[in-house]
Amino acid sequence: MKKNFLRMAALSLLVMACSEDDNEVVTLPPDEGMQEEPAPQPTGQASFVLNEVEYLGDRVEIFNNGNATGNLSGYFLCLGPGAYGQIGNLTTEGNINLAQGEYLTVFFETPRNSGGLGLYSSNQFTNAEAMVDFVQWGEGGNARENVAVDAGLWTAGEFVPVSGNAENTIIYDGEGNGVANWSETGTETFGAANELTMPAEAKAMIVINEVQYGNLNQVEIWNNGSNAIDLSDFWLCLGPGQYSRIGTIEPVSGSITLGAGEFLVLPYEMPDEQGGLGFYSTNEFTNAEAIVDFVQWGAPGAARENVAVEAGIWTAGEFVPTVGLSASIEYDGEGDSASDWSEEAIPSLGAGNATEARTTTFNVTISNVANYFNAHVFNTPVGASEPGPLTEEGGQYVLEFNAVPGAKISPVTMMGNSNDWFLAPEDFSGIDLWENGAALNGVDIASELVLYDLGTEADNDPASFPPAGANVGPDDPNPATRLVDRNGNRGDFYLSAILDYEAGDGSSAGTFTLTITKKATDFVVTPGIVVLHALENPLFTLGEEDRGVGLEAIAEDGNPMPLYNWFHEAGEQGAPLRLASSISVFSPGIVYAFNGDRDPFVLQGETNNPNNGLEEIAEDGNNSVAVSYLEGLGIPVAASNETTPVGPGGALTFTLTVPEGQNFKFGYSTMFVNSNDWFLAYNNAGYPLFDENGVPVSGTGASEKSYMYDSGTEIDEPVGFGIYQAPRQSGADEGPADENTTVRRVSELNDVQFGKGLISSGPGVVWLGDPRGGYNLVRVEIQPQ
């Protein structure tokens, strides 16, 4: 509260004005034996403030908010040089000897749309010590503004916005200094407590202009008049217990002192399906005089509808149809009925409703990067008790491994009597374990192997090969991996490599047995590795240098363990860093953008919405229902350009157009087809498509929080073998229902395709590259056009 106490001169006037009763001597009864003593003198002080100004008239109200009576005769009102008057010489209403809590109206002409009025204790108008109070309206920089700033009563440049209506006044709210404590009112109250009511012209110029009650929960207020207005003491109200004073809300954009033609965007929680929002000049929410504007959506009968009807700004029973979660409803600028509102698929919050929304188009690529499925070492000859090479004709290695169609193998073994030569498949894609749908059985694959030079160690004549020792030779001057031509001899000249196959039991993979037998040549067959993979060049690239992950140890020293360990390395949470959990195609999918705090499609932790199309994606790879559902929400969505599933090495591609400036985030979904109802998606928070400066993102950042989800709609069967999984069922939606209906992360996956057993990934990580380790299946790349 202002405490502009009277100066000493004023205090002397106060003492002189005391009545005789104030100095009365009280005599005690004689029998108490006490001498007479004077009563204590009053210690209170008066405090005067400007309380109401008729800025286009001639009245100024002063209020005593102190705790004693004070005389205003010697005080002055001053607008500037030559425009001042001593209150004792002016016409007044009320007692100029102003008691605490009382009002004095002073007739002092202020017929102007802008001005700065000072209340002074003397006529020293340039002296900050003499100024008691100050208010400025219409514009800044009036004559006594600098004095008020020096006195700590005002902030330079600030002023109370006014509409220029002679029936209006500006009033003080009773506490503090500065423009925030003043407002224009349509109800003059000279001689009584102030009453803030919105002037009629302000009601006409301040409107609710756009409402986004879905994902954003934002309200746009528009000043379509010609004067600024302070909205600090205005309110938003949905109904009892659901209201907020605008001055307490941090704007999304715009200023609470709303300039002519400007927009103010405020965050405000609203219901998605139906509601009625009132905009009030005071917190008298049932008072038709206080309601400024109103809009109702979804259904009639909102709590403040009757107030709006009484105020003549709405028609009973009317409402704006509900719109999608990312859409808004917009006002057309004229009228007070539901027909003046319409849906806007791309909100224009903070700008005119006719403003064309700016958008960015993104190219999205979701790649199936499952590659390495397992790696197995062969190192102990048949009949031996410890690892070693095959040096004699007929020596054998025998290796068993599990695999399913789609997998290829790349066996690698060193030519032991060389520096860095090794046998590997001539086909850089590897050797397909199935031909025409039949597993290789009783097939010698040695002829598919050829000899390579890794380029890591200088070559000698194999006949004079130096004694074995890890990495003992000099570097090769040619570091490129290249073919070795030994008179056209292929792998079958040195050894045989026979694959036999035994089918599985229908719920797990079959077993291949690889038998490697040395032939009668000088080729020493060393311990090696068999890698099961999907993509080409799994271990090296012809013409390029060694990758440095362990192949050198095989090619130079016949030691497969460094490469084996590289394949089997675990991440921070114990799941594989490189080995894919399983092989599967991805179904045609969807990408979309949303501008709320949570993904509206993948409802992790909740039972899936049966109407949203997620079940159709997760169980059957059908994306059409989801596209229609998200389009109905007004959410930017796109189906993949590909209409058939994509396997390892393939990709789903999309083109997605997204509004700028609304914090849109990215989401996607595609079925992990070798399951009952699993799908890949980004986490529920969504991946921001624009940085803090509004610049579109690019790169693979959306890979990092991609996970495997269970939609909770169908009971799970072994990956790749369930009879109710899409590749094997006779029709859509055939499997029995899951007892756990919650959409959840897949935290464990039992690899029955390649025999790795249980893989645990608590978060369900699917990105190949996540340091936590996981299922290693996907990469998501986003590029703005």
Side-chain angles (χ1 to χ4, degrees):
M1 179 178 289
K2 286 188 171 83
K3 293 295 183 184
N4 301 301
F5 293 107
L6 298 176
R7 309 291 182 241
M8 290 305 295
L11 287 175
S12 65
L13 291 175
L14 176 62
V15 172
M16 291 171 63
C18 291
S19 69
E20 292 183 0
D21 290 339
D22 292 331
N23 295 308
E24 181 181 18
V25 177
V26 179
T27 303
L28 294 176
D31 58 352
E32 293 192 16
M34 300 287 290
Q35 294 184 356
E36 298 175 354
E37 294 183 3
Q41 298 298 306
T43 59
Q45 289 183 323
S47 174
F48 301 131
V49 295
L50 297 170
N51 198 54
E52 184 170 6
V53 177
E54 190 176 45
Y55 63 88
L56 287 180
D58 61 357
R59 289 182 292 178
V60 176
E61 181 182 75
I62 300 172
F63 178 63
N64 183 350
N65 65 2
N67 55 11
T69 298
N71 194 299
L72 283 164
S73 298
Y75 280 68
F76 286 79
L77 293 174
C78 179
L79 287 161
Y84 55 85
Q86 186 173 5
I87 293 176
N89 296 328
L90 298 173
T91 302
T92 60
E93 288 182 356
N95 194 338
I96 203 167
N97 194 37
L98 194 60
Q100 88 178 77
E102 295 297 326
Y103 305 89
L104 176 69
T105 299
V106 182
F107 290 85
F108 182 71
E109 192 172 347
T110 59
R112 57 191 71 188
N113 277 317
S114 65
L117 179 64
L119 174 63
Y120 287 82
S121 61
S122 72
N123 61 355
Q124 300 178 33
F125 301 126
T126 60
N127 182 358
E129 292 296 318
M131 180 176 275
V132 175
D133 202 5
F134 179 81
V135 64
Q136 180 168 251
W137 64 91
E139 64 181 9
N142 286 283
R144 301 308 179 203
E145 180 193 68
N146 63 322
V147 184
V149 172
D150 288 344
L153 297 171
W154 203 258
T155 300
E158 291 189 345
F159 59 90
V160 183
V162 292
S163 61
N165 187 330
E167 296 181 359
N168 300 337
T169 64
I170 56 174
I171 57 174
Y172 174 56
D173 67 5
E175 292 188 6
N177 297 317
V179 71
N181 305 106
W182 285 83
S183 300
E184 185 176 22
T185 182
T187 304
E188 62 87 2
T189 55
F190 287 95
N194 291 337
E195 182 179 345
L196 179 62
T197 60
M198 191 172 189
E201 57 278 351
K203 283 189 177 184
M205 73 183 195
I206 306 294
V207 297
I208 302 173
N209 197 52
E210 186 171 4
V211 179
Q212 210 286 353
Y213 51 76
N215 287 333
L216 291 179
N217 284 294
Q218 293 180 5
V219 178
E220 179 187 77
I221 308 297
W222 176 37
N223 181 348
N224 65 4
S226 57
N227 296 290
I229 186 167
D230 183 0
L231 298 180
S232 298
D233 291 321
F234 286 65
W235 296 72
L236 294 174
C237 179
L238 287 161
Q242 297 175 286
Y243 49 81
S244 293
R245 178 175 167 265
I246 290 176
T248 66
I249 303 174
E250 182 68 29
V252 175
S253 64
S255 172
I256 287 178
T257 299
L258 191 59
E262 294 183 351
F263 302 91
L264 171 66
V265 180
L266 301 167
Y268 188 66
E269 287 291 328
M270 293 169 285
D272 295 342
E273 299 299 327
Q274 61 186 66
L277 179 65
F279 176 47
Y280 286 80
S281 61
T282 73
N283 60 352
E284 299 176 27
F285 302 124
T286 60
N287 182 357
E289 293 296 320
I291 196 166
V292 177
D293 204 2
F294 179 81
V295 64
Q296 179 169 252
W297 63 91
R304 301 308 179 202
E305 181 191 52
N306 62 323
V307 185
V309 171
E310 183 181 349
I313 59 173
W314 200 256
T315 301
E318 287 191 349
F319 61 92
V320 184
T322 302
V323 299
L325 289 178
S326 68
S328 67
I329 55 174
E330 289 185 341
Y331 177 54
D332 66 9
E334 294 184 5
D336 291 305
S337 68
S339 62
D340 296 302
W341 288 80
S342 60
E343 177 179 4
E344 176 51 64
I346 302 178
S348 57
L349 296 156
N353 291 342
T355 304
E356 184 175 351
R358 294 175 57 87
T359 62
T360 295
T361 298
F362 294 91
N363 294 329
V364 181
T365 304
I366 298 175
S367 300
N368 186 334
V369 296
N371 186 15
Y372 303 125
F373 302 114
N374 215 337
H376 301 275
V377 165
F378 54 86
N379 60 4
T380 302
V382 174
S385 59
E386 58 186 28
L390 303 180
T391 58
E392 301 295 332
E393 180 183 2
Q396 291 184 325
Y397 293 118
V398 177
L399 174 68
E400 291 185 349
F401 58 87
N402 300 115
V404 294
K408 301 174 182 180
I409 60 166
S410 288
V412 178
T413 182
M414 177 191 184
M415 181 177 183
N417 47 340
S418 74
N419 290 82
D420 60 348
W421 292 358
F422 62 96
L423 281 175
E426 183 179 34
D427 187 339
F428 302 128
S429 296
I431 299 169
D432 200 332
L433 291 169
W434 270 261
E435 288 184 354
N436 300 319
L440 299 183
N441 192 9
V443 176
D444 188 350
I445 61 171
S447 63
E448 299 188 41
L449 308 178
V450 294
L451 200 58
Y452 295 90
D453 185 331
L454 189 59
T456 57
E457 191 170 294
D459 296 326
N460 293 307
D461 184 347
S464 59
F465 184 69
N471 201 25
V472 296
D475 290 341
D476 194 325
N478 179 3
T481 304
R482 55 201 184 268
L483 283 166
V484 175
D485 182 9
R486 297 201 78 209
N487 301 316
N489 292 331
R490 302 177 67 82
D492 57 352
F493 180 78
Y494 307 110
L495 52 80
S496 65
I498 298 173
L499 278 171
D500 295 301
Y501 178 73
E502 182 179 346
D505 61 6
S507 61
S508 61
T511 302
F512 286 91
T513 302
L514 175 64
T515 303
I516 298 173
T517 304
K518 173 180 164 47
K519 292 184 177 180
T521 69
D522 60 354
F523 191 105
V524 175
V525 183
T526 68
I529 198 166
V530 171
V531 178
L532 284 86
H533 61 96
L535 308 182
E536 63 181 17
N537 298 319
L539 298 171
F540 63 92
T541 301
L542 194 67
E544 296 184 5
E545 294 186 19
D546 176 53
R547 297 172 185 173
V549 298
L551 182 57
E552 180 180 3
I554 293 179
E556 291 185 9
D557 306 307
N559 178 9
M561 294 313 298
L563 186 55
Y564 175 88
N565 291 336
W566 181 82
F567 278 116
H568 287 271
E569 185 178 356
E572 297 167 356
Q573 297 183 353
L577 271 178
R578 300 178 183 93
L579 294 179
S581 62
S582 42
I583 191 169
S584 177
V585 297
F586 297 165
S587 73
I590 60 169
V591 296
Y592 51 94
F594 61 95
N595 55 358
D597 294 331
R598 185 182 182 192
D599 190 321
F601 183 64
V602 179
L603 305 177
Q604 182 180 340
E606 300 178 15
T607 296
N608 179 57
N609 174 358
N611 301 314
N612 67 3
L614 178 61
E615 180 177 3
E616 284 78 4
I617 288 180
E619 290 188 12
D620 304 304
N622 173 10
N623 60 4
S624 61
V625 178
V627 169
S628 296
Y629 174 79
L630 293 174
E631 285 178 341
L633 295 181
I635 286 177
V637 59
S640 56
N641 297 316
E642 294 69 26
T643 57
T644 57
V646 296
L652 300 169
T653 59
F654 309 80
T655 302
L656 183 68
T657 300
V658 181
E660 298 175 5
Q662 297 181 40
N663 299 319
F664 270 93
K665 305 172 186 70
F666 170 79
Y668 76 93
S669 180
T670 179
M671 180 188 183
F672 182 68
V673 174
N674 257 332
S675 71
N676 293 80
D677 62 346
W678 293 358
F679 63 98
L680 278 59
Y682 196 78
N683 77 357
N684 278 129
Y687 180 71
L689 287 168
F690 302 89
D691 67 15
E692 62 274 12
N693 298 315
V695 177
V697 301
S698 62
T700 58
S703 303
E704 298 179 14
K705 293 182 180 179
S706 290
Y707 302 107
M708 180 89 80
Y709 288 88
D710 186 329
S711 70
T713 57
E714 188 170 299
I715 197 168
D716 296 325
E717 298 172 294
V719 172
F721 289 93
I723 62 172
Y724 295 116
Q725 293 169 356
R728 288 163 287 280
Q729 66 185 5
S730 59
D733 196 27
E734 280 196 341
D738 195 333
E739 292 182 358
N740 181 356
T741 61
T742 302
V743 178
R744 58 200 185 271
R745 305 267 186 93
V746 175
S747 59
E748 292 184 344
L749 190 158
N750 188 17
D751 174 21
V752 295
Q753 293 180 316
F754 299 98
K756 294 191 296 295
L758 190 66
I759 299 171
S760 296
S761 172
V765 173
V766 292
W767 175 43
L768 176 62
D770 195 310
R772 293 173 291 181
Y775 304 138
N776 301 312
L777 300 169
V778 74
R779 181 180 65 248
V780 181
E781 183 173 6
I782 301 174
Q783 293 293 342
Q785 289 186 358

